[in-house]
Amino acid sequence: LPDTLNADYVIIGAGSAGAVLAARLSENPANRVILLEAGRAGGGLFVTMPAGSFKLMLHKEYDWKYPVEPDASLGGREMVWSGGKLLGGSSSTNGMVYIRGQRQDYERWVSAGATGWDWDSMLPYFKRSENFTGPASQFHGQNGPMKVGHANDRHPTSELFLKTAANLGLEVRDEYCDGDQSGVYELFTTAAGGTRQSTARTFLRDARGRSNLEIITQAMVDKVLFENGRAVGVRFSRPGAPPTELYARHVVVSAGAIGSPAILMRSGIGPAQHLRDHGVEVVADRPVGRNLQEHCGYTMSKFVNIPTYNSPFGPLVIARNFARWLLTRKGPMSSAAVQVMGGFRSDPSVPHPDLALNFMPLAIDMANNRPEMHERPGVTLGITCMRPESRGEIRLRSAAMQDKPIIDHQLLGAEEDVRRLIAGAKFAEQLFATEPLKNHVVDNYFPATLPDSEEGWEDTVRMFTGFGYHPVGTCRMGGDDAVLAPDLKVRGLQGLSVIDASVMPYLVSGNTNAAVIAIAERGAEILAATR
Ligand SMILES: Cc1cc2nc3c(=O)[nH]c(=O)nc-3n(C[C@H](O)[C@H](O)[C@H](O)COP(=O)(O)OP(=O)(O)OC[C@H]3O[C@@H](n4cnc5c(N)ncnc54)[C@H](O)[C@@H]3O)c2cc1C
């Protein structure tokens, strides 16, 4: 190790995982921790107020806006991958859905070589982060920094949706954080109490005043530095300043499932030939960037005959709802967009739910490539493959950190995912044709016309399927062939861990924020135990 150490731990990325790690590791006054974040502190109104998430998505300053290669499986569409670029990372910009995945997801991790990451072992880490606002429960924690609970507003169409799903045989459940996501349920959110519970506003706020924690924003990390197979520090740049090096006992990469593989590859850890092609000296030949997984989601929308969150809309409604939120933390501005979710099987032979429902009491207009409120009242339903078969890959565009990586994802590359989504899309149409919801549906928004053949359904699904913004798996943990060992350290190297969404061997069956936070809670414990 160099003679002068700046810290015990340097953490790259202050997102869902990095902020938790910085907070937990700095609880021990003997640890000196430096947290480096490429984005700014952020924290304005759009972050605090749950409805502000619409303004943050693809925001010019607070979003990475990663370009994605044209996707042949989606008819050549080119999409942009959203990711938070500020303290709290994507937990500061996300949709605030709180969900954990199913028991079988974690058993699957174990079968991929991630020994010890089964559901029963993970449950305590989910609970540790939580300050659950509902009644005491064996599935929820009440002493953690992050408020989790029902949103402060529930639109009448959400109630209608629950009743309709029940009429089609889905069980209405109060609890879905017990490892079973079947049925339909009103969501728990990280907007409990009416304000966003990002990891910046919870974990970091508690930790910021500690003298052993230094947070450096606008610090874009180029690479990890090595000496004799050991990570010894990092090189980063701040605007207008020359590159700086910091030295630490242990380097933790928490830059997310797109940022982390890019940093590792620039540092010489990745597929050897690919690194050489970009003139990067190989430190370790590992399958970094491979195994990219994402929730493919088919979205449909209907116009309805009752007011929804998007209509009536305008300055007066905004002013009234905003005042209500300011004074009471209640009303539409206090709520996550998705209010009801569910899990069901694409086919009765499937042992566990493989499709998710995401119901939103609003219709979104994406005509300008940014989410806007549609002028007519509407509701939107997403159908998501919980455990997609399709895989993608992240590669270096060049060795320069300014060049965003190449994201190559055939989102519907696997026929099985298309087949599932078609089954889900048909079920969704059935829902809207069932009472009581059907009494309120007046027209299709999109798709405007419904297909009448299997080929037609396939085209429609490929046209209206997009990202869930839940990329994982690009620095997966697992057996000998994985990037990381089950203790989250890079195989074959000293002093280097990856802790974030990229470590998951397989995508979990729900949105990924809670699972990432639980991984970070556990990762902090592993690091503390091996200091
Ligand atoms: C629009 C959107 C909506 C979502 N909705 C939900 C939801 O409702 N519920 C849910 O559970 N999940 C949701 N997710 C997913 C969830 O938020 C993410 O899975 C989770 O936040 C990922 O955590 P992470 O720590 O891996 O990465 P992030 O939270 O993205 O953190 C990575 C951090 O690293 C920083 N960084 C990257 N590169 C560098 C670099 N070179 N140098 C320094 N810093 C760097 C980034 O700026 C960022 O702050 C959503 C995500 C998005 C983008």
Side-chain angles (χ1 to χ4, degrees), residues 291-349:
N291 190 47
L292 173 63
Q293 298 174 42
E294 163 64 306
H295 283 135
C296 42
Y298 167 80
T299 308
M300 59 180 306
S301 193
K302 304 276 183 197
F303 293 121
V304 294
N305 60 6
I306 44 177
T308 51
Y309 284 162
N310 61 292
S311 176
F313 203 66
L316 272 180
V317 177
I318 295 175
R320 192 181 61 220
N321 289 340
F322 181 59
R324 188 168 169 211
W325 177 78
L326 268 185
L327 296 171
T328 66
R329 294 288 187 260
K330 295 201 165 108
M333 299 292 193
S334 73
S335 173
V338 181
Q339 292 200 340
V340 175
M341 280 183 78
F344 66 106
R345 294 165 172 73
S346 59
D347 184 279
S349 64

Side-chain angles (χ1 to χ4, degrees), residues 117-128:
W117 289 82
D118 53 286
W119 168 261
D120 290 331
S121 303
M122 287 302 284
L123 186 56
Y125 299 99
F126 281 110
K127 292 166 71 172
R128 185 176 292 180

Side-chain angles (χ1 to χ4, degrees), residues 13 15-17 37-38 64 89-90 94-97 221 469 500-501 511-513:
S16 296
E37 166 55 43
W64 283 89
S90 301
N94 72 14
M96 295 158 288
V97 166
V221 173
Y469 302 115
D500 59 20
N511 311 36
T512 38
N513 191 43

Side-chain angles (χ1 to χ4, degrees), residues 223 264-269 272 274-283 396 398-399:
K223 56 175 73 170
L264 287 192
M265 287 192 272
R266 288 198 296 267
S267 311
I269 306 165
H274 176 60
L275 301 187
R276 285 191 200 106
D277 290 346
H278 287 286
V280 177
E281 192 184 326
V282 179
V283 175
L396 286 181
S398 84

Side-chain angles (χ1 to χ4, degrees), residues 11-19 36-40 53 56-58 62-64 66 81-100 187 190 196 199 216 218-223 235-237 254-260 262-263 266 336 338 341 401 468-472 499-504 510-517 520:
I11 301 165
I12 306 170
S16 296
L36 298 172
E37 166 55 43
R40 293 174 188 265
S53 53
L56 292 171
M57 204 171 156
L58 305 181
Y62 296 135
D63 197 309
W64 283 89
Y66 290 110
W81 213 316
S82 170
K85 186 181 181 186
L86 70 169
L87 286 187
S90 301
S91 78
S92 291
T93 61
N94 72 14
M96 295 158 288
V97 166
Y98 185 87
I99 194 165
R100 297 171 177 173
L187 268 189
T190 48
R196 175 189 288 278
T199 54
I216 308 177
Q218 293 186 274
M220 176 75 181
V221 173
D222 180 9
K223 56 175 73 170
R235 181 177 302 148
F236 68 97
S237 295
S254 299
I258 300 171
S260 288
I263 293 171
R266 288 198 296 267
V338 181
M341 280 183 78
M401 69 171 179
Y469 302 115
H470 305 148
V472 308
I499 304 180
D500 59 20
S502 70
V503 313
M504 296 186 197
N511 311 36
T512 38
N513 191 43
V516 171
I517 290 171

Side-chain angles (χ1 to χ4, degrees), residues 68-145:
V68 180
E69 297 302 292
D71 186 338
S73 73
L74 303 179
R77 265 189 289 145
E78 285 178 54
M79 293 189 290
V80 178
W81 213 316
S82 170
K85 186 181 181 186
L86 70 169
L87 286 187
S90 301
S91 78
S92 291
T93 61
N94 72 14
M96 295 158 288
V97 166
Y98 185 87
I99 194 165
R100 297 171 177 173
Q102 306 196 97
R103 172 178 284 275
Q104 295 79 17
D105 301 334
Y106 297 87
E107 313 303 338
R108 210 169 163 216
W109 289 11
V110 174
S111 69
T115 312
W117 289 82
D118 53 286
W119 168 261
D120 290 331
S121 303
M122 287 302 284
L123 186 56
Y125 299 99
F126 281 110
K127 292 166 71 172
R128 185 176 292 180
S129 60
E130 255 185 314
N131 175 2
F132 186 59
T133 57
S137 154
Q138 58 175 314
F139 299 113
H140 294 281
Q142 289 182 307
N143 300 314

